[in-house]
């Protein structure tokens, strides 16, 4: 019976490690529990009227919640491993109050101290297999800390790239390039550059799916509100007279279709056309005055 309880704790630890791997290092980054937590918090924020500053904290708060969930589950899992063997399989420091505490509390305390790599030494494993398992918990705790820091360092460059594309599209909307200006070498280079940036955003949504749950704001930094501008430019490029401009327009349109497919398959699940997917994306993200202006039409005028 003791070993069955310990195996249950080991199962919890392995569940966290699997979720950690799929969230941070798997090529498709399909996190399980972490993805459910972030999705739930995002949808909850959509149902509750929040101020702009609070809305912008949903993404960071979701990441913190996931990391705390990972840490708490690891601590609980290892405590369950220790619990059936407490106190007989452990040494207690002379005069330590830990020897008088309930075994469950001792197990949680030992797990917390070990995963934090404190190594206080008032409780130490005595049996051989526990002397091997206990340092492994410290390694998992160190890996968890490193993973959390790496996650933050990875996600914010992706957000910066997305917002940079949104600002560029907002500037193009203000400049309002004419069809004649687009039907030139400069127009072809412009459309080709936008296609490259849209592809990068698409890759970011694949590699860093958590970035979807970050609110970009309600101004021109919102990619959700500005993506329709790229669609309008792609259509104008496709109808241009120069072959290079038409090719660049086709490339931009293809990049937008690919992006819409990723958004729909991984987040929105509308099953609609790219225009419908982008409208749903804008409705899900851009909730302010500027967003409503951009979502009023699938093809905003430049």
């Amino acid at each position: 019976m003791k070993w069955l309880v310990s195996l249950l704790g080991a199962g919890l630890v392995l569940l966290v490690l699997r979720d950690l791997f799929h969230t941070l290092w798997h090529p498709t980054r399909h996190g399980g529990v972490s993805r459910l937590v972030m999705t739930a918090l995002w949808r909850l924020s959509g149902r509750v009227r929040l101020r702009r500053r609070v809305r912008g904290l949903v993404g960071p708060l979701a990441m913190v919640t996931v990391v705390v969930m990972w840490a708490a589950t690891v601590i609980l899992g290892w405590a369950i491993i220790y619990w059936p063997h407490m106190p007989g399989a452990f040494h207690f420091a002379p005069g330590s109050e830990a020897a008088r505490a309930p075994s469950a509390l001792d197990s949680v305390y030992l797990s917390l101290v070990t995963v934090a790599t404190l190594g206080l030494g008032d409780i130490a494993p005595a049996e051989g297999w526990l002397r091997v398992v206990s340092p492994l918990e410290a390694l998992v705790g160190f890996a968890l800390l490193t993973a959390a820091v790496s996650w933050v360092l990875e996600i914010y460059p992706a957000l910066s790239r997305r917002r940079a594309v949104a600002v560029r599209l907002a500037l193009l909307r203000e400049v309002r390039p004419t069809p004649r200006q687009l039907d030139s070498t400069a127009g072809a280079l412009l459309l080709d550059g936008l296609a490259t940036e849209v592809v990068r955003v698409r890759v970011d949504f694949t590699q860093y799916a958590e970035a979807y749950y970050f609110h970009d704001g309600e101004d021109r930094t919102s990619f959700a509100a500005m993506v329709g501008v790229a669609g309008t430019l792609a259509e104008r490029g496709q109808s241009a007279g120069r072959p290079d401009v038409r090719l660049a327009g086709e490339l931009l349109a293809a990049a937008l279709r690919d992006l819409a497919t990723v958004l729909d398959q991984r987040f929105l699940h509308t099953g609609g056309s790219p225009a419908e997917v982008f409208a749903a994306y804008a409705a899900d993200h851009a909730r302010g005055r500027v967003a409503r202006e951009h979502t009023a039409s699938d093809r905003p005028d430049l």
Side-chain angles (χ1 to χ4, degrees), residues 186-241:
L189 293 174
L190 171 65
L191 296 176
D192 183 71
L194 285 176
T196 301
E197 292 177 343
V198 169
V199 169
R200 286 174 181 163
V201 173
R202 181 254 191 236
V203 172
D204 285 339
F205 277 128
T206 302
Q207 295 295 319
Y208 312 106
E210 303 80 21
Y212 180 88
Y213 304 106
F214 280 71
H215 184 64
D216 285 331
E218 298 179 345
D219 52 16
R220 62 183 188 172
T221 62
S222 174
F223 180 74
M226 294 295 170
V227 67
V229 177
T232 302
L233 289 170
E235 290 183 1
R236 293 187 179 180
Q238 289 173 300
S239 61

Side-chain angles (χ1 to χ4, degrees), residues 104-166:
L105 181 61
D106 281 341
S107 300
V108 174
Y109 166 75
L110 176 60
S111 179
L112 182 59
V113 169
T114 305
V115 81
T117 66
L118 293 177
L120 298 180
D122 51 345
I123 303 178
E127 293 189 2
W129 72 274
L130 284 171
R131 296 174 67 182
V132 174
V133 169
S134 184
L136 287 178
E137 183 182 7
L139 290 176
V140 171
F142 182 75
L144 182 61
L145 175 61
T146 305
V149 174
S150 300
W151 199 16
V152 173
L153 294 179
E154 288 177 351
I155 201 72
Y156 279 95
L159 296 175
S160 298
R161 287 189 292 269
R162 192 172 75 193
R163 288 165 182 164
V165 179

Side-chain angles (χ1 to χ4, degrees), residues 1 31 55 68 70 76 87 99 106 112 131 162 209 212 220 228 255 279 284 294:
M1 185 63 183
R55 230 181 254 154
V68 171
W70 285 338
L76 177 62
D106 281 341
L112 182 59
R131 296 174 67 182
R162 192 172 75 193
Y212 180 88
R220 62 183 188 172
D284 196 27
H294 288 282

